[in-house]
Amino acid sequence: MTFYQELQLNQAGSKNLLKKSETLKERLYHMWVYLVKIAVTMAFCFFFVSIFSILFGNENSIVGVVVLLCLMVFRNADLGIHTGQSTMLLALFFVIMTVCPHLANQFSPVLGMLLNIAALAVLILFGCHNPFMFNQSTLVLGYLLLYGYDVTGKSYQMRLVGMALGAALTCFVFYRNHKNRTYKSNLKDLIQEFDITSSRTKWQICQILCVPIVLCIAELCNMPRAMWAGIAAMSVILPSMEDMHYRVRKRIVGNIAGVICFTVLYFLLPSSIYAYIGILGGIGVGFSAQYGWQAVFNTFGALAIAAETYGLQGAVSLRVIQNVFGVVFALAFCVIFYWFMSKKKESDVTVHAE
């Protein structure tokens, strides 16, 4: 494996190479490549988001984050169907992420929930066909980030331009990287494969319904940063109930651990470098291959931003409450939904037998 190829590995791949190292020299080499990868990735991410902030305003730095997520994921991940159709779908996804979160913020929580359900239905049914590729962690996360950091007036006009540029970049990179691949499925097949009895479709429906409902309830309860609850719910909803239980535990424990670590750093470090705690969290995520540790370090960046608005105590309280509410509600929702679907299936079997 060349140096460049090793740089392309994810955290799990790099750590697997470290485990398989037979000599100290080999282990040190793989560790060096791993550190270089994290440093280059962090530098590129910082530079990319900074450019978007300069071009489209600091309030639209989140656009740079969303575009960066899409670029980094879809340069390798696909949608499982014909490349040309996938590229058009990606363009549609950007339109949805640009328009629908903004419109939903203009409506009441209930009407906004209905719009969010419709928007997420398109993103998930056509963009998250394979749950094990975790495209929802890009598309739904991007949607929720833009929803949570909404802007108006001139800033929204700049957001339109920034998202248009992001769509063009993502579609170009996606098509260039996937144009020579052969796919047996197309858009029509995705529609025909929708089956309410399959685990995949039930998982998709849970994502489509549960995440907007969580947002709506959080907003009706006047809880700031409602997107945190939505993101927490999205991240733990998986096709397997066993995997869901695992993620719920890790999300809650990791979030609390992250809050404690952030609080310690907040009191130990001078106020002039509070903003860099978020960067430290990004580095920690780069070293983390397991979901639990990712939950710990993701907390750093969220709290670093929220503490500026709500203070340390307010930000910490919101983070814990929103995350616990999001994951517990998602688990309860999916348990009830799967139970209802199993009862419906038994009823249908009984009717056919008679």
Side-chain angles (χ1 to χ4, degrees):
M1 182 180 296
T2 65
F3 176 79
Y4 179 76
Q5 290 173 330
E6 191 168 336
L7 284 177
Q8 305 305 306
L9 296 175
N10 57 21
Q11 294 98 321
S14 296
K15 289 188 175 182
N16 188 46
L17 280 179
L18 286 169
K19 289 180 180 179
K20 291 182 177 179
S21 300
E22 297 180 353
T23 64
L24 177 60
K25 181 180 180 180
E26 185 180 356
R27 184 177 182 82
L28 289 174
Y29 171 77
H30 292 315
M31 177 59 73
W32 175 71
V33 176
Y34 188 30
L35 293 174
V36 169
K37 178 181 68 175
I38 292 175
V40 170
T41 301
M42 289 297 299
F44 174 76
C45 292
F46 181 79
F47 175 77
F48 189 93
V49 175
S50 296
I51 290 296
F52 265 75
S53 299
I54 293 170
L55 293 176
F56 307 109
N58 289 331
E59 62 275 14
N60 280 317
S61 61
I62 198 65
V63 174
V65 174
V66 172
V67 173
L68 179 63
L69 279 172
C70 291
L71 280 171
M72 294 183 71
V73 169
F74 291 114
R75 68 192 179 98
N76 293 320
D78 58 44
L79 301 183
I81 62 174
H82 185 271
T83 302
Q85 294 180 350
S86 295
T87 305
M88 289 188 289
L89 280 175
L90 277 178
L92 174 62
F93 296 160
F94 267 87
V95 172
I96 290 172
M97 289 191 292
T98 304
V99 176
C100 292
H102 180 67
L103 286 179
N105 272 295
Q106 313 309 309
F107 298 151
S108 67
V110 175
L111 289 177
M113 177 189 70
L114 296 177
L115 178 57
N116 287 332
I117 288 174
L120 292 189
V122 178
L123 295 179
I124 292 171
L125 292 176
F126 297 107
C128 306
H129 187 61
N130 183 352
F132 299 105
M133 292 189 70
F134 293 99
N135 285 347
Q136 71 276 11
S137 295
T138 302
L139 296 173
V140 180
L141 175 60
Y143 184 96
L144 293 174
L145 288 173
L146 292 167
Y147 180 87
Y149 293 101
D150 189 36
V151 291
T152 57
K154 178 68 174 179
S155 295
Y156 182 66
Q157 294 175 10
M158 297 303 293
R159 177 164 294 190
L160 291 174
V161 179
M163 288 295 286
L165 175 60
L169 286 172
T170 303
C171 289
F172 171 77
V173 171
F174 178 86
Y175 186 79
R176 184 196 63 183
N177 289 7
H178 299 275
K179 63 181 179 180
N180 294 324
R181 298 186 181 183
T182 302
Y183 299 95
K184 296 180 180 180
S185 301
N186 55 35
L187 186 58
K188 182 179 178 181
D189 294 322
L190 289 188
I191 298 173
Q192 292 176 339
E193 289 175 9
F194 182 86
D195 180 6
I196 194 67
T197 63
S198 71
S199 60
R200 176 179 61 201
T201 301
K202 286 188 285 188
W203 164 77
Q204 290 175 314
I205 293 174
C206 281
Q207 284 274 2
I208 292 167
L209 296 178
C210 183
V211 174
I213 291 174
V214 165
L215 286 175
C216 180
I217 295 174
E219 289 174 346
L220 288 173
C221 294
N222 294 318
M223 289 194 289
R225 301 281 173 175
M227 67 170 178
W228 281 353
I231 292 171
M234 174 274 297
S235 70
V236 301
I237 298 176
L238 297 171
S240 166
M241 193 56 64
E242 182 180 349
D243 292 338
M244 272 199 70
H245 281 93
Y246 170 82
R247 284 211 164 193
V248 167
R249 292 194 304 270
K250 293 297 183 179
R251 182 83 184 192
I252 293 175
V253 173
N255 181 66
I256 293 174
V259 163
I260 294 172
C261 293
F262 179 88
T263 303
V264 171
L265 291 173
Y266 194 88
F267 283 109
L268 289 179
L269 299 176
S271 58
S272 58
I273 61 173
Y274 282 167
Y276 295 100
I277 300 179
I279 297 176
L280 179 63
I283 295 173
V285 172
F287 279 105
S288 305
Q290 296 182 351
Y291 178 78
W293 284 107
Q294 291 172 358
V296 172
F297 291 111
N298 275 326
T299 302
F300 286 20
L303 288 178
I305 296 173
E308 297 179 4
T309 304
Y310 305 105
L312 177 63
Q313 184 177 352
V316 165
S317 300
L318 280 174
R319 183 69 182 179
V320 174
I321 292 171
Q322 295 280 32
N323 271 264
V324 172
F325 165 66
V327 298
V328 171
F329 184 91
L331 180 60
F333 182 92
C334 291
V335 168
I336 294 171
F337 181 79
Y338 288 159
W339 174 83
F340 174 79
M341 292 304 300
S342 65
K343 290 296 182 181
K344 185 177 183 300
K345 184 177 180 180
E346 291 175 5
S347 177
D348 291 341
V349 170
T350 301
V351 170
H352 287 305
E354 294 176 352

